[in-house]
Amino acid sequence: MPKLSNRLDWFSESIIRKMTRIANQYGAINLSQGFPDFDPPKEILEALKDVSNKGPHQYSITWGAQNFREKLALKQEKFMGIDINPDENVLVTCGSTEAMMCAMMSVCNPGDKVIVFSPFYENYTADAILSGSEPIYVELKPPAFNFDKQELRNAFKQNPKALILCNPSNPTGKVFTKEELLYIGSLAKEYDTFVITDEVYEHIIFKPYKHTYLASLEDMFERTISCSSLSKTYSITGWRLGYIIANKDVIDNCKKVHDFLTVGAAAPLQEAAIKGLEFGQDYYDKLNDIYEKKKSLFLNGLDKIGLKYYEPQGAYYVMVDISEFGYEDDYEFCKWLAKEIGVAAVPGSSFFRGKVNNYIRFHFAKKEETLIEALKRLEKLKEYKK
Ligand code: GLN
């Protein structure tokens, strides 16, 4: 067989999605790949029924159906506090996974450098490599996962083309403060760098933390490429509806990448999801309350079992320290956990640069009864502490 592309030698398949397959293989409760086991809002499901009869069933405009972009622009204007023109500033993508890849392909030339905070969501390394760029990692230091200002400045001194900012952060649950974002923004301006944000957890923020959109800070819209999705906000991860909001020149370029990569996000699903984009503030308040409860339930359970973790400020993940179990390899630990304990987690090493293997990541976007059953199973871990 002829040789395949060298590009793929530099990263492996997604460990997050592999853990879902391992969870299924052993019938484990899947707290690895982050997706809910409860239904999306009724109104969205009803809309989907209507769409099945009325359509649309053919392609929408490649960069997103007109009505979807208009509703999305209205919603995001309200939350982001900036003017968004649905024709010029919005591109609808197949999930934020495509949004991030489009952004990277549109911004980076082969050989460019891109700053990535570590720990990081595993897609970013693949995004960097597939777009021909090279990641420069800047550490987020536990327990608060803050960065060192000088270390970040040193990374900017290497003249990166972009910085990737996951806020709220997967996997740590860190919510960047306005002060931190102003500092990142000031460096981006000083070194003339883009910031590509991944804000898919923008509506899952725990009290007293607040989400600040980088694009809303002074002079930042022109250099911020805001990527997000409807997946987590409306519990529709399988619908693959994401988007980019940015200035017209950036969007025009992202449209080209998107057009040839996927043609467009699913037209019927865009039509049905409009119902969600029309929800009022009460929906988002309730969503936060739901996740506050899930977080408390799960973290209290971990406390009772005596597992050490970093409390998240946003998103729906928690990083748990597994040092006490004496495993050298966190992936082996996760396989054992899925098989013998019946709960699946993601090995922390897939989120870190370098050899960090004493963490695992659980997510708690599950029904209360699922979390209670998972905690019951995890109690057995007490017997295995060294
Ligand atoms: N963002 C989710 C996670 O981190 C799901 C990832 C995916 O498979 N798209 O688990």
Side-chain angles (χ1 to χ4, degrees):
M1 185 177 110
K3 193 163 171 354
L4 296 165
S5 161
N6 297 339
R7 254 183 246 123
L8 301 168
D9 297 344
W10 299 100
F11 58 93
S12 64
E13 64 164 319
S14 156
I15 305 293
I16 296 178
R17 297 181 271 283
K18 186 173 188 173
M19 284 314 303
T20 283
R21 294 199 299 278
I22 291 176
N24 294 343
Q25 180 187 345
Y26 295 122
I29 296 177
N30 189 0
L31 305 188
S32 59
Q33 188 182 13
F35 61 88
D37 66 348
F38 43 88
D39 282 339
K42 266 196 328 290
E43 298 87 334
I44 297 182
L45 297 183
E46 286 303 318
L48 186 60
K49 276 193 211 158
D50 284 350
V51 171
S52 76
N53 290 320
K54 295 189 198 136
H57 294 295
Q58 310 309 326
Y59 304 123
S60 66
I61 295 173
T62 174
W63 49 85
Q66 186 70 28
N67 52 354
F68 184 92
R69 275 182 290 113
E70 283 171 7
K71 292 289 180 194
L72 178 65
L74 278 177
K75 178 203 161 236
Q76 289 307 115
E77 273 191 341
K78 192 178 110 204
F79 284 104
M80 297 174 81
I82 52 175
D83 293 335
I84 301 170
N85 179 323
D87 298 318
E88 296 183 351
N89 305 129
V90 180
L91 167 65
V92 182
T93 56
C94 299
S96 73
T97 298
E98 190 210 334
M100 295 292 293
M101 186 67 86
C102 262
M104 291 285 287
M105 302 280 270
S106 304
V107 159
C108 292
N109 288 312
D112 280 343
K113 296 204 164 75
V114 176
I115 300 176
V116 176
F117 287 110
S118 169
F120 53 89
Y121 175 48
E122 57 174 17
N123 279 36
Y124 306 151
T125 309
D127 290 344
I129 292 163
L130 290 173
S131 64
S133 58
E134 187 195 320
I136 312 172
Y137 296 97
V138 172
E139 198 191 342
L140 292 173
K141 296 178 203 332
F145 294 102
N146 293 332
F147 57 85
D148 179 84
K149 285 187 171 176
Q150 192 54 47
E151 195 185 333
L152 185 61
R153 178 173 281 282
N154 290 345
F156 269 97
K157 281 186 186 155
Q158 297 182 49
N159 282 320
K161 199 68 191 292
L163 174 144
I164 296 181
L165 178 77
C166 186
N167 183 30
S169 163
N170 179 6
T172 63
K174 175 188 173 63
V175 174
F176 284 78
T177 63
K178 186 165 177 190
E179 193 255 322
E180 287 173 318
L181 295 175
L182 284 168
Y183 185 70
I184 293 170
S186 70
L187 289 176
K189 280 184 243 176
E190 187 180 333
Y191 290 92
D192 199 19
T193 307
F194 281 107
V195 182
I196 301 173
T197 71
D198 176 351
E199 291 172 280
V200 299
Y201 305 99
E202 63 196 299
H203 294 297
I204 305 175
I205 310 283
F206 304 117
K207 288 188 191 84
Y209 302 97
K210 294 239 168 330
H211 182 66
T212 304
Y213 292 91
L214 188 77
S216 72
L217 300 180
E218 203 181 334
D219 298 332
M220 283 309 290
F221 186 64
E222 68 179 65
R223 61 182 65 251
T224 304
I225 307 178
S226 305
C227 301
S228 191
S229 91
L230 280 68
S231 292
K232 319 295 192 212
T233 303
Y234 306 109
S235 308
I236 47 173
T237 62
W239 290 27
R240 314 308 301 128
L241 291 176
Y243 55 89
I244 303 178
I245 292 176
N247 77 54
K248 182 176 183 305
D249 290 341
V250 168
I251 289 292
D252 283 348
N253 278 286
C254 290
K255 279 175 178 173
K256 287 197 233 167
V257 178
H258 163 78
D259 197 4
F260 288 109
L261 209 54
T262 62
V263 178
L269 300 182
Q270 290 183 62
E271 182 69 25
I274 285 175
K275 260 283 175 277
L277 298 174
E278 291 171 341
F279 288 156
Q281 183 59 41
D282 54 327
Y283 173 79
Y284 302 95
D285 294 342
K286 211 168 127 213
L287 184 77
N288 257 317
D289 289 347
I290 290 170
Y291 276 108
E292 285 276 3
K293 266 178 87 180
K294 291 186 191 303
K295 183 189 78 151
S296 301
L297 171 76
F298 194 61
L299 298 193
N300 285 338
L302 296 182
D303 285 335
K304 284 193 191 122
I305 301 164
L307 291 171
K308 298 193 191 79
Y309 58 82
Y310 294 112
E311 182 157 352
Q313 303 168 346
Y316 51 48
Y317 304 102
V318 56
M319 295 286 272
V320 172
D321 192 333
I322 53 158
S323 309
E324 324 176 90
F325 295 96
Y327 268 77
E328 298 230 321
D329 183 331
D330 53 347
Y331 177 55
E332 287 305 318
F333 179 85
C334 284
K335 279 200 294 196
W336 171 80
L337 193 73
K339 188 168 175 217
E340 303 298 336
I341 305 289
V343 180
V346 179
S349 54
S350 61
F351 303 108
F352 284 89
R353 179 221 182 177
K355 194 110 195 84
V356 178
N357 52 14
N358 60 315
Y359 297 109
I360 58 170
R361 190 200 76 175
F362 287 120
H363 84 89
F364 46 84
K366 291 283 184 254
K367 291 177 194 157
E368 289 193 9
E369 68 235 49
T370 312
L371 294 175
I372 290 168
E373 175 58 27
L375 288 166
K376 205 169 114 201
R377 295 183 186 190
L378 288 172
E379 272 203 31
K380 276 189 252 139
L381 279 178
K382 283 182 183 167
E383 298 163 24
Y384 293 92
K385 285 190 191 176
K386 296 277 183 240

